[in-house]
Amino acid sequence: MSCPDCFRGGVTTIHPTGTETTIHGVPTYVAQPDEAVTPKGIVVVITDAFGWKFANNRVLSDHLAKRGGFLVYCPDFMKGSALDPVAIGLMDKIIEPTSWFNTIVYKPIWVFQALVVAVPWKLKTKIPATHPGVISFFQALRTSPPPYPTDTLKVGAAGYCYGGKHAFLLAHDKPETRVVRHESQKESTKDLPLIDCAFSAHPSLLELPVDVDAVALPLSVVVGDKDAVLKAPEAQKTKDILEAKGVGSYEVKILQGAKHGFAIRPHPEDKEELEFAETAEVQAIEWFKRWFA
């Protein structure tokens, strides 16, 4: 399920530094590592509800690229139907306490305005409708020439909130999604997984325990103990299931005091929220470095 926290948070004051292009037919924001650095692999960011043009998602992509040494793609998997960031301000107004006058007169208006932007997003971006496009994008990455010289291209998925569900599904490694990799790759004669590993921050829309039980590829998860979507008991259950699969290939970190959305939408003026976001960012970078090595 989604909750109000899926549509709340802060907006970064940092300006993105990457570029826009089209990759395998999908509009994509691209963040590059430093000029002298050969990428360790490709990280595909699967965004929260606010999509590929939301500044927070682009700045996060920049950070992963520069700090991790990855080539980072942030595609428009929602096909132009991402949630308008205006919802962030509206949801804050709706939830935060205010005067009785605002509650009676303005809150109904704010609720209506929020529904106008949220309902179309919800209808157009359901996981069954968008996941085939995610699969196709990763299949194209694997069957096309790599974007930089390598015969062992590494690919990872980083999913946030709504995108966290897609990351889990990719980590299921269903046999029907596998492809024979491009002829330039060392292993190019048999069907292989689309990704080498996945990372998921405060995922939403998970079906427990089935989505967790089916995970077959290395997966790192970070969630807060105050998460209103993946609540503390469910987060602990996710941790128990994944870490029982095998030491080292799976991890779940539960951050004390963190709420849903902390990894992607911290308020720039909130030191604690920024620290939670930094923790998640470092976790993602270290996970990809490990499995891309």
Side-chain angles (χ1 to χ4, degrees):
M1 61 171 288
S2 299
C3 75
D5 282 341
C6 290
F7 312 127
R8 300 183 72 196
V11 178
T12 184
T13 57
I14 301 173
H15 186 72
T17 59
T19 59
E20 291 185 11
T21 188
T22 299
I23 298 176
H24 305 306
V26 181
T28 303
Y29 178 79
V30 179
Q32 302 270 4
D34 290 332
E35 189 173 343
V37 176
T38 299
K40 297 178 178 68
I42 298 174
V43 173
V44 180
V45 171
I46 311 177
T47 71
D48 63 356
F50 297 100
W52 77 297
K53 287 194 172 185
F54 185 43
N56 293 34
N57 290 318
R58 295 189 168 199
V59 169
L60 172 67
S61 299
D62 292 342
H63 287 183
L64 295 176
K66 299 295 185 185
R67 298 178 67 182
F70 313 123
L71 175 60
V72 180
Y73 293 160
C74 182
D76 178 20
F77 287 132
M78 288 182 266
K79 299 180 179 179
S81 297
L83 192 65
D84 190 327
V86 70
I88 294 177
L90 288 171
M91 198 59 67
D92 284 342
K93 289 180 180 178
I94 292 166
I95 292 176
E96 291 174 358
T98 186
S99 68
W100 66 267
F101 180 81
N102 284 344
T103 300
I104 294 172
V105 176
Y106 288 109
K107 278 203 175 185
I109 297 173
W110 297 333
V111 169
F112 175 76
Q113 291 173 330
L115 289 173
V116 167
V117 296
V119 171
W121 171 80
K122 188 76 172 177
L123 293 175
K124 294 178 181 179
T125 61
K126 293 180 179 179
I127 298 295
T130 54
H131 196 64
V134 174
I135 293 293
S136 296
F137 186 86
F138 280 88
Q139 288 176 332
L141 283 182
R142 286 303 195 185
T143 56
S144 302
Y148 58 89
T150 178
D151 58 5
T152 55
L153 180 65
K154 301 294 184 180
V155 176
Y160 295 81
C161 301
Y162 164 87
K165 168 80 169 188
H166 287 292
F168 265 79
L169 294 179
L170 285 165
H172 289 176
D173 185 28
K174 293 182 178 180
E176 63 270 23
T177 66
R178 290 185 164 202
V179 292
V180 175
R181 297 181 182 178
H182 187 262
E183 61 185 12
S184 64
Q185 302 302 288
K186 284 184 177 179
E187 295 184 288
S188 60
T189 59
K190 58 182 178 180
D191 290 346
L192 292 170
L194 297 181
I195 60 173
D196 293 283
C197 64
F199 170 82
S200 180
H202 39 76
S204 61
L205 305 172
L206 291 184
E207 298 177 38
L208 297 178
V210 291
D211 280 341
V212 184
D213 284 334
V215 170
L217 298 175
L219 174 65
S220 175
V221 180
V222 64
V223 63
D225 71 332
K226 304 300 182 185
D227 197 303
V229 180
L230 191 65
K231 296 180 172 64
E234 297 169 331
Q236 186 60 49
K237 184 175 183 179
T238 299
K239 180 180 177 71
D240 293 342
I241 294 172
L242 283 179
E243 295 186 352
K245 288 176 176 286
V247 177
S249 295
Y250 310 93
E251 66 176 13
V252 178
K253 296 185 179 181
I254 302 174
L255 304 187
Q256 301 302 307
K259 299 178 181 179
H260 189 75
F262 66 86
I264 193 67
R265 296 187 303 277
H267 290 86
E269 70 281 3
D270 191 310
K271 182 178 178 181
E272 184 180 46
E273 288 186 6
L274 291 174
E275 289 176 351
F276 287 142
E278 170 70 9
T279 298
E281 194 172 297
V282 170
Q283 180 177 332
I285 289 170
E286 293 305 313
W287 189 253
F288 289 122
K289 280 185 176 179
R290 175 183 172 186
W291 291 99
F292 286 2

